Structures are given as structure tokens and as C-alpha cells.
Amino acid sequence: MAPTDRKQASDFPPEVLELYDGYVHNALSRRDFLCSAAKYAVGGITALAMLESLQPNFAWADQVAATDVRIKIESVTYLSPNGSGEMRGYLAQPAKVKAKAKLPGVVVIHENRGLNPYIEDVTRRLAVEGYRAFAPDALTPLGGYPGDEDKGRELFAKLDATKRTEDLVAAAEHLKSLKGTGKVGAIGFCFGGGVCNLLASRLPWLAAAVPFYGSGVTDDEAKKIKARLLLHFAATDERINAAWPAYEAALKTNKIKYEAYTYPSTQHGFHNDTTPRYDEAAATLAWTRTLAFFKKHLR
């Protein structure tokens, strides 16, 4: 359940939410956001106050505690020979596994600021459901997620994009290589959603991919997809939704099996329960669909 004292998307002017989306995706600087949002500041609520209210509160994301006895977690190092060399990630899996049992695996891809507590919590949520879940940190070459979202986005922009892609492909391959791992799927959010689509194109053995509000791939890349796709979209998300018709056409042309859902009255990031853009009803429904999808295609 969402904390009763948290703000919701409806507490902000739609224009401010659009500006914030630009800010978190590096289309606007902090100064640009504050200057543009100032015109919507009313009732003593300043642009700075709105920005601070829209920032994540990671205490809200702790749905499954790191100390939960049902799971075990560890920091893992893996190799990315075509990327940055040595990378780190967060592995969560059931604490008790039957001998010779094959655990289905899910690689969890973060947003454009590194492996933050929200993504770690999503990884633990999957472990509780019986999956071996692995979340790589693309910021490893720059010291890892810095504990600050603004700093994380700043560092993320400095990564070599080609190496970053190879690092995340290597994460999925590492998960697949772990002894006792069965079928492997992928889930990702925003930037990570786009990576899910890319992994589906790059990895013919990937069984299922669930991108949340993620960018699609090119027509040529779509031809190579073998995984089943479950795509989640926010209703108010112009940047991502504008590209969906072309991607959907490519999926249909190439007879790729997919399901796609758009959630009414939601904002980009509606699954992220650390910010006011979180929509509990939509996030719960999307998660229920995701678990059913993984159960069908990974078990």
C-alpha cells in the first residue's frame, strides 16, 4: 500500500509532470526545470518544492526487505569481455532450493541512473516469487550507483553507450550460465525497458521479456526476436508512445508474439513506487500480469 502522506501525480499540474519527465531524461537541466516550472507555482508552493516532492523516496520501495528470510541476496561480479571488462550486479534468489531444481531466471534492467534501491527491491520481489533474479549496475565502470539520482543520471550520460549495451547483454548471459538456472527472461523500466527489447533481439535463447515504458528496436532488430513480449505503457508518455505504432507494426509484420497494455490515467514511471508518479492500481495490475506471463513462459 502507498503511504497516505505521499503526493500523487494528480497533485501536480500536468505541465510540471511533463517538465519533470524531461528533467529525469536529461532533456532539461535542473535550472531549466526550475525556471519553466516557476510559472505553475501557486499557493506558496515553489518550483523547488515541486521538484523535491517529485524526487524518489526509497523508503517507500522496500516491499521485500533485504533481510527477508525467504530469500538470499549477494553482490556478484561478472565479466563483460566485449564491454567494460568486470561488472557488478545484485543477485536475489529463494533461500531454499530443492536439490537439482532448475530455477527460472530474470535479469532486471534499471532506469537511466544505475542500480538504485527501487530496482533492488523489484529484484527481491521476483526472488520471493521463486525466480533467480539478477540486476546489473551499468554504472560499475564509474564506481557504481552513487546513492543520488541526479548524480546517477549525470554519470550515466558519461558511459560509452556501446560498451554499456554489451555490459547488459553480458549480465543476461551470466545469469543463464549460473548452475541451476533454467529458462531466462528479462524485465526493465524506462531505459531498462528499451534494453529488454534489445535483449529479445540479441539473445535467441531469451524466453520472455517485459519492458515497462521502454523504447522499441529497429525493423531489422525486430526480425530477430524469438522471446515472447509483454509490453506495459503509461497513458501519458508522449516520448515513448509516439514510437510504439511503428514498433508494433514491425512486430506484426514479423509475426512476433506479444501482448501490450496501456494503463489509463498513468504517467511514465507508474510502477516506480518511490515517486508521486506511482499508480498503485496500475502497478499492481501490471505486476500481476507480469508474474502470470513469467510463470507461463519461464516455468
PDB file of all heavy atoms in Angstrom, residues 36-70:
ATOM      1  N   SER A  36      11.202  26.878 -15.798  1.00  0.00           N
ATOM      2  CA  SER A  36       9.962  26.590 -16.522  1.00  0.00           C
ATOM      3  C   SER A  36       8.809  26.262 -15.578  1.00  0.00           C
ATOM      4  O   SER A  36       7.661  26.602 -15.843  1.00  0.00           O
ATOM      5  CB  SER A  36      10.183  25.430 -17.496  1.00  0.00           C
ATOM      6  OG  SER A  36      11.156  25.763 -18.463  1.00  0.00           O
ATOM      7  N   ALA A  37       9.119  25.579 -14.472  1.00  0.00           N
ATOM      8  CA  ALA A  37       8.070  25.184 -13.532  1.00  0.00           C
ATOM      9  C   ALA A  37       7.603  26.342 -12.670  1.00  0.00           C
ATOM     10  O   ALA A  37       6.511  26.284 -12.090  1.00  0.00           O
ATOM     11  CB  ALA A  37       8.571  24.047 -12.643  1.00  0.00           C
ATOM     12  N   ALA A  38       8.383  27.401 -12.588  1.00  0.00           N
ATOM     13  CA  ALA A  38       8.049  28.528 -11.715  1.00  0.00           C
ATOM     14  C   ALA A  38       6.697  29.140 -12.059  1.00  0.00           C
ATOM     15  O   ALA A  38       5.958  29.587 -11.173  1.00  0.00           O
ATOM     16  CB  ALA A  38       9.147  29.589 -11.791  1.00  0.00           C
ATOM     17  N   LYS A  39       6.338  29.125 -13.328  1.00  0.00           N
ATOM     18  CA  LYS A  39       5.077  29.741 -13.746  1.00  0.00           C
ATOM     19  C   LYS A  39       3.860  28.969 -13.240  1.00  0.00           C
ATOM     20  O   LYS A  39       2.742  29.472 -13.248  1.00  0.00           O
ATOM     21  CB  LYS A  39       5.032  29.862 -15.259  1.00  0.00           C
ATOM     22  CG  LYS A  39       4.944  28.559 -16.020  1.00  0.00           C
ATOM     23  CD  LYS A  39       4.882  28.748 -17.534  1.00  0.00           C
ATOM     24  CE  LYS A  39       6.222  29.237 -18.046  1.00  0.00           C
ATOM     25  NZ  LYS A  39       6.239  29.287 -19.539  1.00  0.00           N
ATOM     26  N   TYR A  40       4.090  27.709 -12.813  1.00  0.00           N
ATOM     27  CA  TYR A  40       2.982  26.877 -12.314  1.00  0.00           C
ATOM     28  C   TYR A  40       2.967  26.801 -10.784  1.00  0.00           C
ATOM     29  O   TYR A  40       2.171  26.061 -10.212  1.00  0.00           O
ATOM     30  CB  TYR A  40       3.086  25.470 -12.893  1.00  0.00           C
ATOM     31  CG  TYR A  40       3.106  25.460 -14.400  1.00  0.00           C
ATOM     32  CD1 TYR A  40       4.297  25.233 -15.103  1.00  0.00           C
ATOM     33  CD2 TYR A  40       1.949  25.718 -15.127  1.00  0.00           C
ATOM     34  CE1 TYR A  40       4.330  25.240 -16.489  1.00  0.00           C
ATOM     35  CE2 TYR A  40       1.976  25.739 -16.521  1.00  0.00           C
ATOM     36  CZ  TYR A  40       3.167  25.505 -17.187  1.00  0.00           C
ATOM     37  OH  TYR A  40       3.189  25.526 -18.558  1.00  0.00           O
ATOM     38  N   ALA A  41       3.858  27.548 -10.158  1.00  0.00           N
ATOM     39  CA  ALA A  41       3.926  27.557  -8.692  1.00  0.00           C
ATOM     40  C   ALA A  41       2.803  28.435  -8.141  1.00  0.00           C
ATOM     41  O   ALA A  41       2.721  29.623  -8.444  1.00  0.00           O
ATOM     42  CB  ALA A  41       5.280  28.074  -8.241  1.00  0.00           C
ATOM     43  N   VAL A  42       1.937  27.840  -7.346  1.00  0.00           N
ATOM     44  CA  VAL A  42       0.807  28.577  -6.765  1.00  0.00           C
ATOM     45  C   VAL A  42       0.658  28.196  -5.294  1.00  0.00           C
ATOM     46  O   VAL A  42       1.171  27.167  -4.846  1.00  0.00           O
ATOM     47  CB  VAL A  42      -0.508  28.266  -7.509  1.00  0.00           C
ATOM     48  CG1 VAL A  42      -0.467  28.772  -8.946  1.00  0.00           C
ATOM     49  CG2 VAL A  42      -0.819  26.776  -7.479  1.00  0.00           C
ATOM     50  N   GLY A  43      -0.040  29.034  -4.555  1.00  0.00           N
ATOM     51  CA  GLY A  43      -0.336  28.725  -3.164  1.00  0.00           C
ATOM     52  C   GLY A  43       0.883  28.579  -2.286  1.00  0.00           C
ATOM     53  O   GLY A  43       0.862  27.806  -1.325  1.00  0.00           O
ATOM     54  N   GLY A  44       1.951  29.286  -2.624  1.00  0.00           N
ATOM     55  CA  GLY A  44       3.148  29.213  -1.806  1.00  0.00           C
ATOM     56  C   GLY A  44       4.029  28.016  -2.093  1.00  0.00           C
ATOM     57  O   GLY A  44       5.065  27.835  -1.452  1.00  0.00           O
ATOM     58  N   ILE A  45       3.629  27.169  -3.051  1.00  0.00           N
ATOM     59  CA  ILE A  45       4.428  26.006  -3.432  1.00  0.00           C
ATOM     60  C   ILE A  45       5.392  26.429  -4.530  1.00  0.00           C
ATOM     61  O   ILE A  45       4.983  26.783  -5.634  1.00  0.00           O
ATOM     62  CB  ILE A  45       3.553  24.846  -3.937  1.00  0.00           C
ATOM     63  CG1 ILE A  45       2.510  24.478  -2.881  1.00  0.00           C
ATOM     64  CG2 ILE A  45       4.419  23.644  -4.284  1.00  0.00           C
ATOM     65  CD1 ILE A  45       3.100  24.005  -1.576  1.00  0.00           C
ATOM     66  N   THR A  46       6.667  26.433  -4.242  1.00  0.00           N
ATOM     67  CA  THR A  46       7.676  26.895  -5.197  1.00  0.00           C
ATOM     68  C   THR A  46       8.046  25.799  -6.191  1.00  0.00           C
ATOM     69  O   THR A  46       7.734  24.613  -5.988  1.00  0.00           O
ATOM     70  CB  THR A  46       8.950  27.341  -4.465  1.00  0.00           C
ATOM     71  OG1 THR A  46       9.546  26.190  -3.839  1.00  0.00           O
ATOM     72  CG2 THR A  46       8.631  28.395  -3.407  1.00  0.00           C
ATOM     73  N   ALA A  47       8.724  26.197  -7.243  1.00  0.00           N
ATOM     74  CA  ALA A  47       9.209  25.227  -8.221  1.00  0.00           C
ATOM     75  C   ALA A  47      10.178  24.242  -7.567  1.00  0.00           C
ATOM     76  O   ALA A  47      10.160  23.039  -7.853  1.00  0.00           O
ATOM     77  CB  ALA A  47       9.886  25.949  -9.381  1.00  0.00           C
ATOM     78  N   LEU A  48      11.026  24.747  -6.666  1.00  0.00           N
ATOM     79  CA  LEU A  48      11.966  23.869  -5.971  1.00  0.00           C
ATOM     80  C   LEU A  48      11.227  22.860  -5.107  1.00  0.00           C
ATOM     81  O   LEU A  48      11.597  21.677  -5.058  1.00  0.00           O
ATOM     82  CB  LEU A  48      12.919  24.697  -5.107  1.00  0.00           C
ATOM     83  CG  LEU A  48      13.952  23.909  -4.296  1.00  0.00           C
ATOM     84  CD1 LEU A  48      14.828  23.061  -5.221  1.00  0.00           C
ATOM     85  CD2 LEU A  48      14.813  24.850  -3.461  1.00  0.00           C
ATOM     86  N   ALA A  49      10.163  23.299  -4.453  1.00  0.00           N
ATOM     87  CA  ALA A  49       9.379  22.392  -3.611  1.00  0.00           C
ATOM     88  C   ALA A  49       8.734  21.300  -4.454  1.00  0.00           C
ATOM     89  O   ALA A  49       8.671  20.137  -4.041  1.00  0.00           O
ATOM     90  CB  ALA A  49       8.321  23.172  -2.845  1.00  0.00           C
ATOM     91  N   MET A  50       8.260  21.673  -5.639  1.00  0.00           N
ATOM     92  CA  MET A  50       7.666  20.668  -6.519  1.00  0.00           C
ATOM     93  C   MET A  50       8.712  19.656  -6.975  1.00  0.00           C
ATOM     94  O   MET A  50       8.455  18.445  -7.005  1.00  0.00           O
ATOM     95  CB  MET A  50       7.003  21.342  -7.725  1.00  0.00           C
ATOM     96  CG  MET A  50       5.703  22.053  -7.382  1.00  0.00           C
ATOM     97  SD  MET A  50       4.755  22.592  -8.840  1.00  0.00           S
ATOM     98  CE  MET A  50       5.748  23.996  -9.370  1.00  0.00           C
ATOM     99  N   LEU A  51       9.908  20.140  -7.304  1.00  0.00           N
ATOM    100  CA  LEU A  51      10.964  19.235  -7.735  1.00  0.00           C
ATOM    101  C   LEU A  51      11.330  18.266  -6.617  1.00  0.00           C
ATOM    102  O   LEU A  51      11.463  17.052  -6.844  1.00  0.00           O
ATOM    103  CB  LEU A  51      12.197  20.024  -8.165  1.00  0.00           C
ATOM    104  CG  LEU A  51      13.426  19.201  -8.580  1.00  0.00           C
ATOM    105  CD1 LEU A  51      13.075  18.258  -9.734  1.00  0.00           C
ATOM    106  CD2 LEU A  51      14.588  20.110  -8.952  1.00  0.00           C
ATOM    107  N   GLU A  52      11.472  18.775  -5.410  1.00  0.00           N
ATOM    108  CA  GLU A  52      11.829  17.921  -4.283  1.00  0.00           C
ATOM    109  C   GLU A  52      10.734  16.897  -3.997  1.00  0.00           C
ATOM    110  O   GLU A  52      11.015  15.747  -3.643  1.00  0.00           O
ATOM    111  CB  GLU A  52      12.108  18.785  -3.057  1.00  0.00           C
ATOM    112  CG  GLU A  52      13.396  19.608  -3.194  1.00  0.00           C
ATOM    113  CD  GLU A  52      13.633  20.527  -2.013  1.00  0.00           C
ATOM    114  OE1 GLU A  52      12.680  20.746  -1.229  1.00  0.00           O
ATOM    115  OE2 GLU A  52      14.767  21.026  -1.872  1.00  0.00           O
ATOM    116  N   SER A  53       9.464  17.301  -4.179  1.00  0.00           N
ATOM    117  CA  SER A  53       8.351  16.377  -3.937  1.00  0.00           C
ATOM    118  C   SER A  53       8.295  15.270  -4.984  1.00  0.00           C
ATOM    119  O   SER A  53       7.818  14.171  -4.702  1.00  0.00           O
ATOM    120  CB  SER A  53       7.025  17.145  -3.932  1.00  0.00           C
ATOM    121  OG  SER A  53       6.952  18.044  -2.846  1.00  0.00           O
ATOM    122  N   LEU A  54       8.759  15.570  -6.184  1.00  0.00           N
ATOM    123  CA  LEU A  54       8.732  14.588  -7.259  1.00  0.00           C
ATOM    124  C   LEU A  54       9.904  13.611  -7.205  1.00  0.00           C
ATOM    125  O   LEU A  54       9.875  12.566  -7.848  1.00  0.00           O
ATOM    126  CB  LEU A  54       8.731  15.309  -8.616  1.00  0.00           C
ATOM    127  CG  LEU A  54       7.398  15.946  -9.017  1.00  0.00           C
ATOM    128  CD1 LEU A  54       7.606  16.947 -10.147  1.00  0.00           C
ATOM    129  CD2 LEU A  54       6.392  14.875  -9.431  1.00  0.00           C
ATOM    130  N   GLN A  55      10.922  13.934  -6.429  1.00  0.00           N
ATOM    131  CA  GLN A  55      12.102  13.065  -6.332  1.00  0.00           C
ATOM    132  C   GLN A  55      11.773  11.794  -5.546  1.00  0.00           C
ATOM    133  O   GLN A  55      10.868  11.761  -4.728  1.00  0.00           O
ATOM    134  CB  GLN A  55      13.245  13.812  -5.645  1.00  0.00           C
ATOM    135  CG  GLN A  55      13.737  15.041  -6.399  1.00  0.00           C
ATOM    136  CD  GLN A  55      14.668  14.688  -7.547  1.00  0.00           C
ATOM    137  OE1 GLN A  55      14.357  13.838  -8.373  1.00  0.00           O
ATOM    138  NE2 GLN A  55      15.812  15.348  -7.609  1.00  0.00           N
ATOM    139  N   PRO A  56      12.509  10.704  -5.787  1.00  0.00           N
ATOM    140  CA  PRO A  56      12.207   9.428  -5.128  1.00  0.00           C
ATOM    141  C   PRO A  56      12.413   9.465  -3.616  1.00  0.00           C
ATOM    142  O   PRO A  56      13.288  10.162  -3.103  1.00  0.00           O
ATOM    143  CB  PRO A  56      13.220   8.467  -5.777  1.00  0.00           C
ATOM    144  CG  PRO A  56      13.625   9.117  -7.040  1.00  0.00           C
ATOM    145  CD  PRO A  56      13.587  10.586  -6.781  1.00  0.00           C
ATOM    146  N   ASN A  57      11.584   8.698  -2.939  1.00  0.00           N
ATOM    147  CA  ASN A  57      11.766   8.400  -1.518  1.00  0.00           C
ATOM    148  C   ASN A  57      11.899   6.880  -1.437  1.00  0.00           C
ATOM    149  O   ASN A  57      10.901   6.165  -1.495  1.00  0.00           O
ATOM    150  CB  ASN A  57      10.574   8.887  -0.696  1.00  0.00           C
ATOM    151  CG  ASN A  57      10.753   8.623   0.792  1.00  0.00           C
ATOM    152  OD1 ASN A  57      11.534   7.750   1.193  1.00  0.00           O
ATOM    153  ND2 ASN A  57      10.038   9.357   1.616  1.00  0.00           N
ATOM    154  N   PHE A  58      13.111   6.390  -1.332  1.00  0.00           N
ATOM    155  CA  PHE A  58      13.339   4.959  -1.462  1.00  0.00           C
ATOM    156  C   PHE A  58      12.825   4.145  -0.277  1.00  0.00           C
ATOM    157  O   PHE A  58      12.717   2.920  -0.370  1.00  0.00           O
ATOM    158  CB  PHE A  58      14.824   4.687  -1.706  1.00  0.00           C
ATOM    159  CG  PHE A  58      15.285   5.122  -3.065  1.00  0.00           C
ATOM    160  CD1 PHE A  58      16.316   6.028  -3.206  1.00  0.00           C
ATOM    161  CD2 PHE A  58      14.657   4.643  -4.196  1.00  0.00           C
ATOM    162  CE1 PHE A  58      16.739   6.440  -4.461  1.00  0.00           C
ATOM    163  CE2 PHE A  58      15.064   5.044  -5.461  1.00  0.00           C
ATOM    164  CZ  PHE A  58      16.107   5.946  -5.597  1.00  0.00           C
ATOM    165  N   ALA A  59      12.477   4.795   0.806  1.00  0.00           N
ATOM    166  CA  ALA A  59      11.896   4.071   1.925  1.00  0.00           C
ATOM    167  C   ALA A  59      10.558   3.443   1.524  1.00  0.00           C
ATOM    168  O   ALA A  59      10.140   2.424   2.074  1.00  0.00           O
ATOM    169  CB  ALA A  59      11.692   5.010   3.118  1.00  0.00           C
ATOM    170  N   TRP A  60       9.898   4.058   0.547  1.00  0.00           N
ATOM    171  CA  TRP A  60       8.609   3.541   0.093  1.00  0.00           C
ATOM    172  C   TRP A  60       8.751   2.266  -0.733  1.00  0.00           C
ATOM    173  O   TRP A  60       7.783   1.548  -0.951  1.00  0.00           O
ATOM    174  CB  TRP A  60       7.886   4.599  -0.744  1.00  0.00           C
ATOM    175  CG  TRP A  60       7.519   5.835   0.023  1.00  0.00           C
ATOM    176  CD1 TRP A  60       7.422   5.969   1.380  1.00  0.00           C
ATOM    177  CD2 TRP A  60       7.220   7.122  -0.525  1.00  0.00           C
ATOM    178  NE1 TRP A  60       7.081   7.257   1.715  1.00  0.00           N
ATOM    179  CE2 TRP A  60       6.946   7.984   0.565  1.00  0.00           C
ATOM    180  CE3 TRP A  60       7.157   7.636  -1.814  1.00  0.00           C
ATOM    181  CZ2 TRP A  60       6.614   9.326   0.397  1.00  0.00           C
ATOM    182  CZ3 TRP A  60       6.820   8.967  -1.989  1.00  0.00           C
ATOM    183  CH2 TRP A  60       6.545   9.805  -0.899  1.00  0.00           C
ATOM    184  N   ALA A  61       9.934   1.987  -1.244  1.00  0.00           N
ATOM    185  CA  ALA A  61      10.116   0.873  -2.181  1.00  0.00           C
ATOM    186  C   ALA A  61      10.438  -0.442  -1.495  1.00  0.00           C
ATOM    187  O   ALA A  61      10.580  -1.453  -2.164  1.00  0.00           O
ATOM    188  CB  ALA A  61      11.224   1.207  -3.172  1.00  0.00           C
ATOM    189  N   ASP A  62      10.568  -0.435  -0.210  1.00  0.00           N
ATOM    190  CA  ASP A  62      11.040  -1.621   0.498  1.00  0.00           C
ATOM    191  C   ASP A  62       9.905  -2.627   0.707  1.00  0.00           C
ATOM    192  O   ASP A  62       9.562  -2.976   1.836  1.00  0.00           O
ATOM    193  CB  ASP A  62      11.649  -1.197   1.832  1.00  0.00           C
ATOM    194  CG  ASP A  62      12.643  -2.221   2.360  1.00  0.00           C
ATOM    195  OD1 ASP A  62      13.078  -3.064   1.563  1.00  0.00           O
ATOM    196  OD2 ASP A  62      12.970  -2.167   3.545  1.00  0.00           O
ATOM    197  N   GLN A  63       9.334  -3.138  -0.380  1.00  0.00           N
ATOM    198  CA  GLN A  63       8.239  -4.099  -0.272  1.00  0.00           C
ATOM    199  C   GLN A  63       8.737  -5.447   0.239  1.00  0.00           C
ATOM    200  O   GLN A  63       8.023  -6.152   0.957  1.00  0.00           O
ATOM    201  CB  GLN A  63       7.544  -4.270  -1.621  1.00  0.00           C
ATOM    202  CG  GLN A  63       6.745  -3.059  -2.068  1.00  0.00           C
ATOM    203  CD  GLN A  63       5.850  -3.360  -3.251  1.00  0.00           C
ATOM    204  OE1 GLN A  63       5.477  -4.507  -3.507  1.00  0.00           O
ATOM    205  NE2 GLN A  63       5.490  -2.326  -3.982  1.00  0.00           N
ATOM    206  N   VAL A  64       9.948  -5.809  -0.157  1.00  0.00           N
ATOM    207  CA  VAL A  64      10.579  -7.031   0.341  1.00  0.00           C
ATOM    208  C   VAL A  64      11.928  -6.630   0.936  1.00  0.00           C
ATOM    209  O   VAL A  64      12.824  -6.183   0.219  1.00  0.00           O
ATOM    210  CB  VAL A  64      10.779  -8.061  -0.773  1.00  0.00           C
ATOM    211  CG1 VAL A  64      11.494  -9.294  -0.226  1.00  0.00           C
ATOM    212  CG2 VAL A  64       9.447  -8.455  -1.398  1.00  0.00           C
ATOM    213  N   ALA A  65      12.064  -6.764   2.226  1.00  0.00           N
ATOM    214  CA  ALA A  65      13.284  -6.325   2.901  1.00  0.00           C
ATOM    215  C   ALA A  65      14.476  -7.182   2.502  1.00  0.00           C
ATOM    216  O   ALA A  65      14.339  -8.375   2.196  1.00  0.00           O
ATOM    217  CB  ALA A  65      13.096  -6.384   4.415  1.00  0.00           C
ATOM    218  N   ALA A  66      15.646  -6.574   2.532  1.00  0.00           N
ATOM    219  CA  ALA A  66      16.868  -7.310   2.217  1.00  0.00           C
ATOM    220  C   ALA A  66      17.125  -8.417   3.235  1.00  0.00           C
ATOM    221  O   ALA A  66      17.856  -9.373   2.948  1.00  0.00           O
ATOM    222  CB  ALA A  66      18.050  -6.353   2.165  1.00  0.00           C
ATOM    223  N   THR A  67      16.517  -8.297   4.414  1.00  0.00           N
ATOM    224  CA  THR A  67      16.688  -9.297   5.471  1.00  0.00           C
ATOM    225  C   THR A  67      15.609 -10.373   5.454  1.00  0.00           C
ATOM    226  O   THR A  67      15.575 -11.229   6.336  1.00  0.00           O
ATOM    227  CB  THR A  67      16.674  -8.605   6.841  1.00  0.00           C
ATOM    228  OG1 THR A  67      15.462  -7.839   6.973  1.00  0.00           O
ATOM    229  CG2 THR A  67      17.870  -7.679   6.995  1.00  0.00           C
ATOM    230  N   ASP A  68      14.740 -10.345   4.462  1.00  0.00           N
ATOM    231  CA  ASP A  68      13.645 -11.320   4.381  1.00  0.00           C
ATOM    232  C   ASP A  68      14.226 -12.736   4.342  1.00  0.00           C
ATOM    233  O   ASP A  68      15.063 -13.054   3.495  1.00  0.00           O
ATOM    234  CB  ASP A  68      12.824 -11.058   3.115  1.00  0.00           C
ATOM    235  CG  ASP A  68      11.486 -11.782   3.112  1.00  0.00           C
ATOM    236  OD1 ASP A  68      11.482 -13.015   3.291  1.00  0.00           O
ATOM    237  OD2 ASP A  68      10.449 -11.115   2.917  1.00  0.00           O
ATOM    238  N   VAL A  69      13.764 -13.585   5.259  1.00  0.00           N
ATOM    239  CA  VAL A  69      14.338 -14.932   5.389  1.00  0.00           C
ATOM    240  C   VAL A  69      13.966 -15.848   4.227  1.00  0.00           C
ATOM    241  O   VAL A  69      14.556 -16.922   4.072  1.00  0.00           O
ATOM    242  CB  VAL A  69      13.909 -15.585   6.717  1.00  0.00           C
ATOM    243  CG1 VAL A  69      14.445 -14.791   7.896  1.00  0.00           C
ATOM    244  CG2 VAL A  69      12.393 -15.722   6.796  1.00  0.00           C
ATOM    245  N   ARG A  70      13.009 -15.419   3.404  1.00  0.00           N
ATOM    246  CA  ARG A  70      12.602 -16.255   2.267  1.00  0.00           C
ATOM    247  C   ARG A  70      13.604 -16.226   1.120  1.00  0.00           C
ATOM    248  O   ARG A  70      13.542 -17.061   0.219  1.00  0.00           O
ATOM    249  CB  ARG A  70      11.227 -15.813   1.756  1.00  0.00           C
ATOM    250  CG  ARG A  70      10.092 -16.008   2.740  1.00  0.00           C
ATOM    251  CD  ARG A  70       8.827 -15.358   2.201  1.00  0.00           C
ATOM    252  NE  ARG A  70       8.961 -13.895   2.124  1.00  0.00           N
ATOM    253  CZ  ARG A  70       8.022 -13.101   1.600  1.00  0.00           C
ATOM    254  NH1 ARG A  70       6.927 -13.617   1.062  1.00  0.00           N
ATOM    255  NH2 ARG A  70       8.209 -11.780   1.589  1.00  0.00           N
TER     256      ARG A  70
END
